[in-house]
Amino acid sequence: MKQQLTRWGMAVMTAIALAACGGGGSDPAPAPTPTPPTTPAPTVKELLSKAAAVAGNDSATNTSAPFLTVQDAGVAAVTIASPPKVNFAIYSDGQLKTGLAITNVSFAIAKLVPGSNGEPDQWVNYIYRKETAAATVGPNNKPVLASAMQATTDGKQTDAALLAAQLVASPDGYYTYTFKTDIKDPAQTNGVVFDAAKTHRVAIQLSYQNAAGETVRVNPYFDFTIDANGKSVPVTDPSKTRKMTDVASCNGCHEKLALHGGGRVDTQYCVMCHNPGTVDANSGNNLNLATMAHKIHAGKLLKSKLDTGKGGEDYTIWGYSNSKHDYAEVGFPQDLRNCTVCHSGANAATPQGDNWKSKASKEACLTCHANGTGSDWEVSHKTYAGTLVKAGAAAKELSNAQCVECHKAGTNIGSDRVHWNQNEENAAKYKMNIESVAFNDTADHKGRSVTVKYFLSDPTNGNAAYNLVTADCTGTAASPTCANTTKFGNLRFYLAYQNMVGQATGQTEYSSYNNGGSTANAYAYKGTNDGSNHYTVNIPVPDDSATAVAFGTARVISIGQVKEAKLQAKWATDPRPEVVPKVLINTIAKHTYKELALSGTLQARRAVVSNDKCNVCHGALGTTSGSNTLSEAFHSGARNTVEACVLCHDANRMSSTVMTNGLALSENYQFKRMIHGIHGSSRRSYPFTHGNTVLGVWGKDGILQGTGFVSGALAAAPVGTTQQPFASSTLVASGSAFLAGTENYAAEVAYPQVGLNCDTCHENKSWKQDLGTLGAVVAKPLIGSAMPLSVDTNANNWRVISPKASSCTACHDSSKSIAHVTSFGGSAFGDKTQGQIAALPRETCDDCHASGGFKGVDAVHGQK
């Protein structure tokens, strides 16, 4: 043994020596590669924490992250057992949100039932409540139905132990909610049968506070299918769900859609209850979202059809606690044919957004289209019903399958064809271009003009210039006459400028139009054509006078619309032929403006509001109305830019309309005051009106609150009358309604935002500081010693509301508010003239209300 060990040791030593010398023998076997340490898989807690650090997962903006991050961490977001369980995580300020209570959440769950035979796909809720109508609440003080079922959210447990277990926080960072309702039990679901093969959606009405202490209200939702184990599988195929509209489209007007107390803020959540299974017992109306939302936005149109015997309706529903909601005054602020405002397949968030083009249905179409007895729809479809359904069938008996078959996309009566809006669609073909402007002054300041070089182009045809003298004009080539019924006969240029003696020069504030300068305009067709359809025209500038002197920066503004022959809406191919007999319609032209100096250095007028921002809601400003009729549109649709609006609606624009607060003053239609008065009507104490001639206190319902007087003719003014237009008057009894021709904006216009975001309309934070220099005229003195008296033409003698007060009291119009601005703010409210306020110290409103200060305008308007 000892000899063997010795020999083994010698062999080892020899091998070492040989290796050291590089001696022979084969290379030794390589050393084994070390096994790297095993990295444990990340835990659910680690994955959720990592997801929290991704800004895009914040629950305030990402409505799917609460579910998908849990699902991606290996935990099923939803398990359909008995009853369903939902696992979700909330992310806020880069952290997992802790501390949620059961009161912070309400859950809904629904299945998607695919449509067949022309019926649309529908979300069908599993959870319902029964509404019992009050015996005296409904149309004509009587409910249509004694009771009705309404889809709702899952109820909270009444047993304390079960309630404590209904929402549980996991140590991994997510929450588990257990439904009270067993959706597999038809006895608990109003007979709705659970179907594991269908796409399902679960959604949360969620509220919590972020790090800044703000309450966040969102509606996270999750579309999923169910595997064999009852666990959720996220839906990734857009065709397997139903998303018709994106709440971002709603929020273009509404800023943040917030209903039922402010907690329901996403249309994908709204459809979970507002589906065909929900009915308002009081009115009998089905509250399916497509039907309800369309009818609300078409409320004014439907009421107008009712009033004219055209089969309309006064769309009214009653909500919780028997609260009445009448939508007869609601008007969509643009053309109702603009379906793509809310529904577009081009939006990735709404894969079914183009369904309106190919899937006509009674639930959607018989909303804007009045369809009662006597309606155009009922008359035109009754014949089809008699043929396609049965003899004598009512028009409404036509099925959705028949609707789809007749109104196929691309056919002459396909929805995509008949909803064509010519006056906006063809606007792409007309663009006014101002190449240069130049002021031609004279030594005696008489016979002056502004030379404008311009052309009207077709952007769809390489910007080719149009000949403005068309075949429908008359006269000679040297002196044509193009009436306002000719294609381009409405297009013209106006000059807006400053001309009030003593007017402040720190800001450019146009004052000329209503102070003798309205003649500073020229028709575009009257320009000289250089042979290439580029034109030159001179705008006359009125001579200076003792009360009007042109100065400072001016602006040349193009206005007017193109007169086109109306084309067939019911036509399958392009180009569409003209309607016979010929009908003319207004088509928008894209207008422009250019500034120039009449004296001194060019000082461009500040940008206050934006055409683009107006058109988010209005589509094309001024071209239609809430009742969708051109006759009720501003100026019959002939103005469509704010630059054109502020030209005419300057501070001197005193209306014949009388203030409805009972003060012996006319209303003022300066653009800022008029726009605030119209859009801020819900905030006002008294209605902002057009056409009202009654001097007295009016309620917002348009009813006279006591005795009033109708202002009369100037020529009949009694001796001692000193103010226009209250020259004479006729007694009006208390309780009278607005006279014919009066437009009560306080009833008809409701600003659609829940809050007040001034940036929705304003540019460059211009709302923070009213830089206006002129008071808004509300009274013009009468002068003379013999009848009839005449109106004082010196604008500095006209009585005004001072600049800041004019803006603020357009919405804040109570007697208390007026007293506040005149006492604390140093403002005038019809008690001083334009000349007097120019000589007095400026209003002191900024002492308290400067943005960022004590009761700053940003704070009181809820701005961040």
Side-chain angles (χ1 to χ4, degrees), residues 4 33 93 145 206 246 305 326 372 374 524 541 549 766 768 780:
Q4 288 178 335
T33 303
D93 305 293
L145 303 171
L206 171 69
D246 181 7
K305 296 293 186 182
D326 188 343
V541 179
V549 177
S766 59
K768 288 188 173 183
K780 296 179 180 179

Side-chain angles (χ1 to χ4, degrees), residues 114-154:
S116 60
N117 296 322
E119 298 299 321
D121 299 349
Q122 297 288 359
W123 289 105
V124 177
N125 205 308
Y126 282 108
I127 305 168
Y128 290 82
R129 75 178 188 98
K130 185 176 183 179
E131 180 197 31
T132 300
T136 58
V137 179
N140 301 315
N141 300 316
K142 183 179 180 181
V144 174
L145 303 171
S147 64
M149 299 306 294
Q150 298 179 342
T152 187
T153 55
D154 189 47

Side-chain angles (χ1 to χ4, degrees), residues 288-588:
N288 179 37
L289 188 64
T291 301
M292 183 181 72
H294 284 174
K295 284 196 174 187
I296 288 174
H297 288 83
K300 187 175 181 182
L301 173 64
L302 295 174
K303 181 61 163 60
S304 71
K305 296 293 186 182
L306 176 66
D307 293 341
T308 55
K310 288 290 189 176
E313 64 181 299
D314 184 350
Y315 187 66
T316 305
I317 57 177
W318 278 261
Y320 293 106
S321 303
N322 295 320
S323 57
K324 183 180 181 181
H325 302 273
D326 188 343
Y327 298 101
E329 297 290 355
V330 177
F332 191 52
Q334 57 179 289
D335 199 297
L336 281 164
R337 292 171 296 180
N338 294 352
C339 304
T340 55
V341 174
C342 301
H343 306 290
S344 175
N347 183 351
T350 55
Q352 287 74 39
D354 281 347
N355 277 11
W356 65 272
K357 295 180 180 180
S358 58
K359 296 184 178 181
S361 70
K362 292 188 288 185
E363 290 80 2
C365 300
L366 301 189
T367 51
C368 299
H369 293 282
N371 53 85
T373 302
S375 66
D376 294 339
W377 184 90
E378 192 263 351
V379 171
S380 65
H381 285 73
K382 189 171 180 61
T383 300
Y384 296 110
T387 301
L388 299 175
V389 181
K390 61 184 178 182
K396 288 184 182 178
E397 291 184 60
L398 287 163
S399 68
N400 278 335
Q402 290 160 336
C403 295
V404 171
E405 180 62 27
C406 284
H407 295 283
K408 288 180 179 178
T411 63
N412 66 321
I413 55 172
S415 300
D416 59 327
R417 298 298 295 177
V418 298
H419 285 110
W420 183 64
N421 183 356
Q422 182 177 344
N423 74 331
E424 292 183 39
E425 293 282 350
N426 280 4
K429 300 193 297 183
Y430 307 107
K431 179 184 178 184
M432 186 60 79
N433 308 271
I434 298 178
E435 297 176 288
S436 66
V437 291
F439 179 43
N440 309 307
D441 204 355
T442 60
D444 60 357
H445 303 307
K446 296 183 182 298
R448 301 166 297 177
S449 66
V450 169
T451 299
V452 186
K453 293 185 178 181
Y454 58 96
F455 66 102
L456 180 71
S457 67
D458 181 356
T460 69
N461 184 27
N463 241 23
Y466 289 100
N467 187 334
L468 300 178
V469 180
T470 50
D472 46 0
C473 296
T474 60
T476 65
S479 182
T481 298
C482 300
N484 62 7
T485 55
T486 61
K487 187 167 187 177
F488 299 128
N490 285 292
L491 300 177
R492 68 171 117 175
F493 295 97
Y494 270 92
L495 182 71
Y497 60 101
Q498 301 165 103
N499 75 343
M500 288 182 60
V501 175
Q503 182 176 344
T505 59
Q507 292 287 331
T508 295
E509 192 80 3
Y510 302 129
S511 56
S512 60
Y513 189 89
N514 295 288
N515 189 36
S518 61
T519 58
N521 70 84
Y523 283 96
Y525 77 86
K526 290 190 174 182
T528 301
N529 191 333
D530 70 356
S532 65
N533 293 333
H534 288 235
Y535 291 80
T536 301
V537 75
N538 287 328
I539 299 175
V541 179
D543 296 343
D544 289 344
S545 68
T547 58
V549 177
F551 72 95
T553 296
R555 176 182 283 175
V556 174
I557 305 162
S558 67
I559 70 163
Q561 292 186 314
V562 176
K563 285 288 186 182
E564 286 190 330
K566 186 176 182 179
L567 304 180
Q568 289 282 0
K570 297 178 181 179
W571 204 263
T573 59
D574 292 321
R576 298 169 186 256
E578 294 183 8
V579 169
V580 178
K582 188 172 185 176
V583 176
L584 296 178
I585 67 167
N586 285 330
T587 296
I588 299 165

Side-chain angles (χ1 to χ4, degrees), residues 103 238 555 621 674 735 770 804:
T103 53
R555 176 182 283 175
L621 188 64
M674 179 179 71
D770 187 337
K804 294 184 190 300

Side-chain angles (χ1 to χ4, degrees), residues 32-57:
T33 303
T35 301
T38 301
T39 302
T43 64
V44 171
K45 184 173 185 178
E46 289 170 338
L47 290 171
L48 295 181
S49 296
K50 185 177 180 180
V54 178
N57 284 334

